Amino acid sequence: MFVAKKKRLAEQAGSGKLVAVSSLTGGAGVTSVAVNLAVALAEIYPEQVALVDLGRPFSDVANFLHQPKKASLLDLLENQDHLDASFIMGAMQVHDGQRWRSCMGAPTSQDWT
């Protein structure tokens, strides 16, 4: 059973889509667009949407949603031996019930100290 589940997950691994939202300057509303896009996509694809904030020098999604940042990409890099679906899901924050999740953000200066 475990092997069959792992094979099924491996087959699904390439079936996702990536949408990048970016701007050349701060204050253009990229965070607002990205969060609202995640919410809209979660209406169509519940429990299948993840918003990863790679904004530099600071990730803004957690602040935008008035939530503390739970983890960063540095946490993933430091835990590569434990990197599986459950670890990643645990590092992500749940929004709108279970409809979508946000994650990570770029490491901040606090992550490096």
Side-chain angles (χ1 to χ4, degrees), residues 37-75:
L37 180 59
V39 170
L41 289 171
E43 290 291 323
I44 301 167
Y45 306 103
E47 300 180 26
Q48 298 180 45
V49 177
L51 173 59
V52 179
D53 184 354
L54 298 177
R56 293 296 296 155
F58 306 108
S59 53
D60 295 323
V61 170
N63 288 337
F64 187 84
L65 297 170
H66 306 290
Q67 293 188 345
K69 190 170 99 174
K70 189 172 180 182
S72 73
L73 292 174
L74 185 60
D75 296 311

Side-chain angles (χ1 to χ4, degrees), residues 61-92:
V61 170
N63 288 337
F64 187 84
L65 297 170
H66 306 290
Q67 293 188 345
K69 190 170 99 174
K70 189 172 180 182
S72 73
L73 292 174
L74 185 60
D75 296 311
L76 291 180
L77 294 173
E78 290 177 340
N79 292 286
Q80 291 181 32
D81 295 339
H82 308 295
L83 202 57
D84 60 9
S86 64
F87 182 85
I88 294 171
M89 294 298 276
M92 299 179 83

